[in-house]
Amino acid sequence: MSTATEKAYKRYAWIIFFVYGLLPVMIAPRYLLLGIPPDPPSPEGMTGLTLDEMAVRIPGMLGYISSLSVQLYNFMLAMGVLVMGIAAVPYRKGEKWAWYAFWILPINLVIQLANSRGGFLWQVDLAFIFVLLAGLFMPYRKFFPKQ
């Protein structure tokens, strides 16, 4: 591998994390503005009841599920902005703390994958694990240069 290629992938690995943070920033506002549960809704998968059936059986349940959805997307929006900020400045500069901090992202995906029970889009989580690990290991020497 040439030196120029090595420099390029070290220099631009931060973009992986920036885009990973940008995705929830683009997705979350739609659900926040509409205040609806995600599609497919987790409650349907867990209970076996449709949202309409839950609304009939348990008054107020749709409001509760909707409030949980809003909280989830508030968290996604905030974390997306935080990840984008860390990727664009400290990770891009090669600050070690940012490299260590970004290990939480693939770890989170492993936990999410383990808890998914083969549910909706688990393949995306699996793919993102490898993409994020590549984003961590490609610029490894930028964060930990040979002495």
Side-chain angles (χ1 to χ4, degrees), residues 26-106:
M26 291 178 358
I27 294 168
R30 173 179 178 246
Y31 291 99
L32 286 172
L33 293 173
L34 298 176
I36 58 173
D39 184 34
S42 300
E44 286 184 16
M46 297 301 290
T47 64
L49 301 172
T50 66
L51 290 175
D52 293 333
E53 290 171 337
M54 281 185 250
V56 170
R57 290 186 184 191
I58 309 166
M61 182 55 74
L62 286 183
Y64 175 71
I65 293 171
S66 180
S67 72
L68 289 177
S69 178
V70 167
Q71 292 173 25
L72 169 69
Y73 288 107
N74 279 333
F75 176 76
M76 283 178 60
L77 183 62
M79 288 304 296
V81 170
L82 180 63
V83 167
M84 287 169 57
I86 292 173
V89 181
Y91 193 82
R92 188 176 184 179
K93 288 181 180 179
E95 296 182 21
K96 285 183 185 179
W97 72 266
W99 188 84
Y100 286 118
F102 273 167
W103 272 97
I104 195 65
L105 300 174

